[in-house]
């Protein structure tokens, strides 16, 4: 029996999906598994079926967002119920299993009727393309979970509650000190309506003008209490209708990201190296703080990303201060002669930015974390080599992993010729390494960030 029938649903005729819609949604899911970002893969499929903007398109978007946010926990549930390792399955089956688990555990709303037709259809296709037993397993999974005949292990129970994998929960507990606070972190990053930010480009405008423009288009916005020249807002900002954005008068940037450049106190005329610079939010901020009398070397590994930085620099009127260079921060000491100060904002686990990247949390493993931290440390060594004595280096990551923050800086303090310059706000001192600082989603309503300011001895 198919899952939908097993659940005893009777379809409302208005809520029936057509065969073409069912096909397009499932194909979007399969494509989203193969091509990143999933939004682009889905769009291509919807275009092919002539369904862009249709209800099928909206349903596929909603399902993909939800399933990506829950991906790891859905896979662990399937493993516990059926003993199947979802990540090893062909793309189509992988999505069918996740869909069945998602629908059974979470989807109870109006659209669930549409989604269950989808599951029914998914099982039929699984039977045709793979085997009857695959289809039966998809259905069994749905039945067991829907019927409440399964109780999760402790780890999976925590995952289901927090929507975070153990690799992250363990570290959060170390940093935050209580499960209560870890839960507050989880509900902040799983909140679908986070606070966004705009940095006011004071080379072109002021806070008042931008707040007025936001009010005129009905966006609820207010000045940040922690970071000067920063605006916070909730809800969607219609980018195409918001003139100050197109004119480079504002830059979309989270508050905690905009808090970074001022910590480096870049003086006009100083030579600054920004080693992982694109898309340039912090580079252009440094230029602004130097009143556009800077000499900033903006290093970035990827050409397409440096183009984004150049666009932003042009838009914000800071291009004259910025020298974009395509190059590897791991070889910075051979590419950059010297710098009075350095910003290092390297690629990281993005665990502080979970709210923005719904699936990133499930890709993180102990091994990936070790590799990231090893590369960050090598970049840090290169960054220190560029500095004269007394020169300062700001290290930042949007991560809540101490391996990418406190542990890495502790090691640098032991092995490299640097001392810590204690930071006193605008966010909280790290309990694991006093003098360094952390911004938190649940305490400060912004992306989680780690900051350390170092001075070359
Ligand atoms: C966290 S982002 C930087 C964000 C940027 N600082 C900002 O505020 O807009 C890290 C950047 O480093 C780049 N990157 C990755 N590996 C690199 C390398 N080996 N050398 C230089 N840049 C690298 C990535 O492509 C990415 O653009």
């Amino acid at each position: 029996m198919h899952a939908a029938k097993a659940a005893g649903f009777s379809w409302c005729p208005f809520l029936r999906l057509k065969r073409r819609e069912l096909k397009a949604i499932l194909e979007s899911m399969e494509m989203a598994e193969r091509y990143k970002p999933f939004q682009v893969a889905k769009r291509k499929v919807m275009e092919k079926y002539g369904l862009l903007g249709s209800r099928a398109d909206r349903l596929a978007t909603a399902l993909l967002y939800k399933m990506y946010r829950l991906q790891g926990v859905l896979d662990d549930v399937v493993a516990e119920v059926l003993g199947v390792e979802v990540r090893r399955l062909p793309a189509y089956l992988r999505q069918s299993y996740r869909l069945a688990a998602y629908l059974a555990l979470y989807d109870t709303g109006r659209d669930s009727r549409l989604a269950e037709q989808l599951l029914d259809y998914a099982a039929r296709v699984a039977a045709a393309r793979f085997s009857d037993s695959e289809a039966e397993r998809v259905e069994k999974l749905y039945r067991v979970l829907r019927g409440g005949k399964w109780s999760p292990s402790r780890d999976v129970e925590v995952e289901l509650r927090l929507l975070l994998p153990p690799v992250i929960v363990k570290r959060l507990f170390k940093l935050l000190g209580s499960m209560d606070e870890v839960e507050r972190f989880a509900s902040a990053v799983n909140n679908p309506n986070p606070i966004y930010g705009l940095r006011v480009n004071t080379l072109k405008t002021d806070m008042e003008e931008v707040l007025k423009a936001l009010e005129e288009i009905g966006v609820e916005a207010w000045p940040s209490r922690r970071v000067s020249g920063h605006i916070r807002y909730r809800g969607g900002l219609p980018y195409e209708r918001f003139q100050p954005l197109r004119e480079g008068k504002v830059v979309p940037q989270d508050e905690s990201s905009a808090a970074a450049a001022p910590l480096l106190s870049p003086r006009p005329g100083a030579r600054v190296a920004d080693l992982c610079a694109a898309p340039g939010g912090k580079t252009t901020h440094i230029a602004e703080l130097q009143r556009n009398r800077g000499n900033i070397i903006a290093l970035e590994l990827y050409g397409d990303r440096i183009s984004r930085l150049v666009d932003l620099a042009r838009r914000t009127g800071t291009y004259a201060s910025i020298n974009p260079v395509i190059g590897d921060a791991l070889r910075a000491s051979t590419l950059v002669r010297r710098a009075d100060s350095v910003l290092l904002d390297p690629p990281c686990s993005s665990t502080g930015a979970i709210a923005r990247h719904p699936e990133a949390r499930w890709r993180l493993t102990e091994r990936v974390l070790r590799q990231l931290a090893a590369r960050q440390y090598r970049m840090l060594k290169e960054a220190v080599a560029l500095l004269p004595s007394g020169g300062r280096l700001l290290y930042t990551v949007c991560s809540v992993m101490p391996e990418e923050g406190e542990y890495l800086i502790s090691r640098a303090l032991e092995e490299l010729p640097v001392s810590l310059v204690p930071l006193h706000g605008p966010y909280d001192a790290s309990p694991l390494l006093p003098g360094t600082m952390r911004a938190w989603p649940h305490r400060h309503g912004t992306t989680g960030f780690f900051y350390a300011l170092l001075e070359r001895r």
Side-chain angles (χ1 to χ4, degrees):
M1 192 172 19
H2 291 298
K5 285 184 214 138
F9 283 94
S10 59
W11 308 119
C12 162
F14 302 114
L15 288 178
R16 272 207 164 279
L17 284 164
K18 298 192 184 78
R19 201 183 153 77
R20 189 165 59 106
E21 293 177 301
L22 291 165
K23 221 172 154 198
I25 297 172
L26 282 175
E27 201 172 309
S28 309
M29 293 182 153
E30 188 173 6
M31 293 300 268
E33 278 287 279
R34 296 200 209 148
Y35 304 103
K36 306 286 167 216
F38 65 78
Q39 294 88 337
V40 175
K42 186 221 64 176
R43 200 185 154 81
K44 285 213 168 108
V45 176
M46 289 296 159
E47 235 167 9
K48 180 176 123 187
Y49 284 89
L51 287 170
L52 259 185
S54 68
R55 67 173 180 173
D57 189 1
R58 286 195 300 279
L59 182 60
T61 306
L63 279 173
L64 280 168
Y65 265 107
K66 288 175 190 163
M67 284 168 56
Y68 272 95
R69 194 158 62 89
L70 297 164
Q71 186 170 290
V73 72
L74 295 177
D75 291 359
D76 289 345
V77 167
V78 178
E80 284 198 357
V81 176
L82 297 176
V84 170
E85 205 180 320
V86 179
R87 291 174 196 90
R88 289 182 186 274
L89 294 172
Y92 182 85
L93 280 178
R94 204 152 58 215
Q95 287 295 39
S96 301
Y97 278 88
R98 285 177 185 155
L99 181 66
Y102 168 73
L103 289 176
L105 291 172
Y106 292 97
D107 210 297
T108 51
R110 178 184 173 276
D111 278 352
S112 69
R113 298 204 202 148
L114 295 177
E116 283 176 24
Q117 286 175 63
L118 188 64
L119 181 62
D120 188 45
Y121 183 72
R124 278 175 221 235
V125 178
R129 272 171 60 174
F130 298 93
S131 64
D132 281 349
S133 65
E134 284 297 355
E136 277 158 23
R137 281 206 282 189
V138 171
E139 291 168 352
K140 179 180 166 199
L141 175 68
Y142 181 88
R143 269 201 311 279
V144 170
L145 294 174
R146 196 71 168 190
K149 292 182 200 133
W150 163 77
S151 39
S153 67
R154 210 192 112 57
D155 269 0
V156 172
E157 186 270 316
V158 173
E159 269 188 326
L160 281 166
R161 196 153 37 88
L162 305 181
L163 301 184
L164 294 172
V167 60
I168 297 181
V169 173
K170 203 163 90 184
R171 267 98 183 168
L172 282 172
F173 185 75
K174 206 171 258 176
L175 276 163
L176 296 171
S178 79
M179 260 334 258
D180 267 6
E181 206 178 338
V182 175
E183 298 218 5
R184 286 204 292 282
F185 173 94
S187 65
V189 298
N190 290 318
N191 177 351
N193 186 18
I195 297 171
Y196 296 93
L198 289 175
R199 171 164 59 78
V200 177
N201 178 5
T202 55
L203 296 172
K204 288 194 164 191
T205 186
D206 58 25
M207 175 75 87
E208 215 175 305
E209 187 190 329
V210 180
L211 284 172
K212 197 158 154 265
L214 285 164
E215 197 185 329
E216 274 164 17
I217 57 165
V219 173
E220 181 200 354
W222 61 98
S224 157
R225 281 188 294 117
R226 292 193 175 84
V227 177
S228 125
H230 194 78
I231 290 177
R232 323 198 76 200
Y233 71 94
R234 231 184 243 288
L237 177 65
Y239 276 20
E240 54 309 326
R241 277 204 292 132
F242 192 53
Q243 193 69 8
L245 199 72
R246 288 211 300 272
E247 293 171 353
K249 291 181 171 173
V250 292
V251 175
Q253 199 175 23
D254 274 348
E255 186 196 71
S256 50
S257 175
L263 300 173
L264 204 53
S265 319
R267 286 183 319 281
R271 191 174 155 87
V272 182
D274 183 352
L275 297 189
C276 292
K282 299 186 187 70
T283 323
T284 51
H285 196 186
I286 293 170
E288 181 197 330
L289 295 172
Q290 292 184 301
R291 304 313 300 161
N292 219 1
R293 283 189 285 126
N295 179 2
I296 306 167
I297 300 134
L299 202 65
E300 163 63 44
L301 190 59
Y302 301 106
D304 56 333
R305 289 187 61 83
I306 211 144
S307 314
R308 287 179 60 193
L309 179 144
V310 169
D311 285 350
L312 184 67
R314 291 218 169 98
R315 224 174 27 251
T316 50
T318 53
Y319 192 49
S321 296
I322 298 171
N323 175 15
V325 178
I326 299 179
D328 189 346
L330 292 168
R331 296 179 51 242
S333 57
T334 63
L335 300 169
V336 180
R337 210 160 21 88
R338 56 151 206 96
D340 300 316
S341 47
V342 177
L343 170 66
L344 178 60
D345 185 28
C348 70
S349 62
S350 300
T351 40
I354 282 174
R356 303 265 190 279
H357 309 288
E359 78 279 27
R361 68 190 92 179
W362 307 114
R363 285 200 298 260
L364 188 68
T365 61
E366 299 283 349
R367 186 157 159 262
V368 169
L369 187 57
R370 272 197 304 278
Q371 287 168 344
L372 283 168
R375 191 168 47 160
Q376 287 154 355
Y377 192 74
R378 283 170 58 209
M379 287 185 182
L380 188 65
K381 270 169 92 172
E382 287 289 304
V384 170
L386 304 180
L387 289 172
S389 139
R392 287 189 172 182
L393 183 160
L394 179 69
Y395 173 85
T396 57
V397 270
C398 60
S399 160
V400 292
M401 304 283 104
E403 283 83 351
E404 300 178 278
E406 292 84 348
Y407 301 167
L408 186 121
I409 296 299
S410 299
R411 181 176 165 201
L413 293 172
E414 276 174 22
E415 296 177 0
L416 305 177
V418 287
S419 338
L420 192 62
V421 181
L423 294 171
H424 302 288
Y427 301 112
D428 297 350
S430 163
L432 300 185
L433 183 60
T436 63
M437 183 169 77
R438 279 196 172 274
W440 288 102
H442 62 294
R443 292 187 194 166
H444 309 110
T446 187
T447 295
F449 250 91
F450 171 83
Y451 314 78
L453 187 61
L454 301 173
E455 190 171 286
R456 173 137 191 176
R457 286 199 295 269

